[in-house]
Amino acid sequence: AQRVTQPEKLLSVFKGAPVELKCNYSYSGSPELFWYVQYSRQRLQLLLRHISRESIKGFTADLNKGETSFHLKKPFAQEEDSAMYYCALEASGTYKYIFGTGTRLKVLA
Amino acid sequence: NAGVTQTPKFRILKIGQSMTLQCAQDMNHNYMYWYRQDPGMGLKLIYYSVGAGITDKGEVPNGYNVSRSTTEDFPLRLELAAPSQTSVYFCASSPGGAEDEQFFGPGTRLTVL
């Protein structure tokens, strides 16, 4: 079965510390993977997608097919990074997304 | 552009009542989606549509119905509300489906008592 697992419900780090939000997936084919973010009082929005290989707001994510992971990383956390982060998988060609349960990131001053 | 709009923002229903959650987008997107999010859980897909007149079930369709008569609108109908349908409902749209960014509405918080 297709599944996205985010093992941490809450991750607290100090400002300037590195951040890694974990995402593991279960899918037999070639997945399309995304990170979505929801800042306080804002809508859920796309942060980055693996196919673009981009860095957004200092965040990067690498697809590791061997470990079936798509962890989100940032070398130096900022207070404005505090938000809910969701990892999502789109099973290729199905138009259906599967979301993880989310990780709340708190960046402490 | 307003993007994706949802009405109402909040609603309390009694068991057995019916209601329609409205969703509209002004971006001319072909694909539209309805999700529900229960406390502490991820978003679960209820129904989706790949174009006007075409809808399909997602992961948790029971108790819901949808229609897509226009590109812009994708209403979600609850026929006989049950406490298990207490949730936050999100509508989303995307231009091309696979690999495309989904644009989300602000959500509707529904409580069934």
Side-chain angles (χ1 to χ4, degrees):
Chain A
Q2 298 155 11
R3 184 178 298 161
V4 174
T5 302
Q6 293 179 251
E8 302 138 331
K9 286 197 171 184
L10 173 65
L11 182 64
S12 296
V13 301
F14 285 103
K15 178 182 172 182
V19 173
E20 182 178 59
L21 299 168
K22 291 184 168 51
C23 172
N24 289 91
Y25 67 89
S26 173
Y27 179 57
S28 56
S30 289
E32 305 299 339
L33 286 153
F34 307 81
W35 277 98
Y36 279 79
V37 61
Q38 188 170 27
Y39 301 102
S40 179
R41 297 190 182 86
Q42 293 188 29
R43 303 181 183 201
L44 195 61
Q45 59 188 285
L46 178 69
L47 179 62
L48 56 81
R49 68 196 96 186
H50 94 272
I51 198 168
S52 300
R53 296 186 172 273
E54 56 203 344
S55 173
I56 302 293
K57 299 185 178 182
F59 284 98
T60 58
D62 291 320
L63 176 60
N64 186 323
K65 291 187 177 181
E67 295 182 359
T68 60
S69 68
F70 188 56
H71 302 329
L72 184 68
K73 299 177 183 179
K74 184 169 183 177
F76 307 103
Q78 303 299 315
E79 288 183 74
E80 54 266 30
D81 296 330
S82 296
M84 276 297 287
Y85 291 81
Y86 294 93
C87 183
L89 175 153
E90 190 261 334
S92 220
T94 65
Y95 315 115
K96 298 179 186 180
Y97 281 63
I98 298 166
F99 282 82
T101 51
T103 297
R104 180 169 298 281
L105 174 64
K106 284 190 176 180
V107 181
L108 308 171
Chain B
N1 287 351
V4 179
T5 57
Q6 291 183 240
T7 55
K9 289 187 178 180
F10 305 95
R11 184 72 185 268
I12 297 175
L13 283 181
K14 294 183 179 179
I15 294 172
Q17 286 186 320
S18 301
M19 78 163 295
T20 299
L21 280 66
Q22 301 292 344
C23 174
Q25 52 93 7
D26 61 359
M27 297 174 282
N28 201 33
H29 287 171
N30 287 323
Y31 299 86
M32 296 188 75
Y33 308 82
W34 272 107
Y35 296 91
R36 59 176 287 172
Q37 184 177 33
D38 300 332
M41 306 294 288
L43 281 73
K44 293 193 175 181
L45 184 64
I46 305 171
Y47 270 96
Y48 68 103
S49 169
V50 300
I54 307 170
T55 63
D56 205 352
K57 297 177 181 179
E59 186 182 356
V60 289
N62 291 346
Y64 306 95
N65 279 301
V66 293
S67 60
R68 184 96 182 270
S69 56
T70 66
T71 299
E72 294 77 20
D73 300 298
F74 190 41
L76 178 71
R77 178 85 178 159
L78 284 71
E79 290 295 347
L80 293 170
S84 61
Q85 293 177 305
T86 294
S87 191
V88 180
Y89 291 83
F90 291 99
C91 180
S93 71
S94 70
E99 303 174 18
D100 273 333
E101 175 180 356
Q102 292 199 3
F103 294 82
F104 283 82
T108 295
R109 185 175 295 275
L110 176 67
T111 302
V112 182
L113 301 174

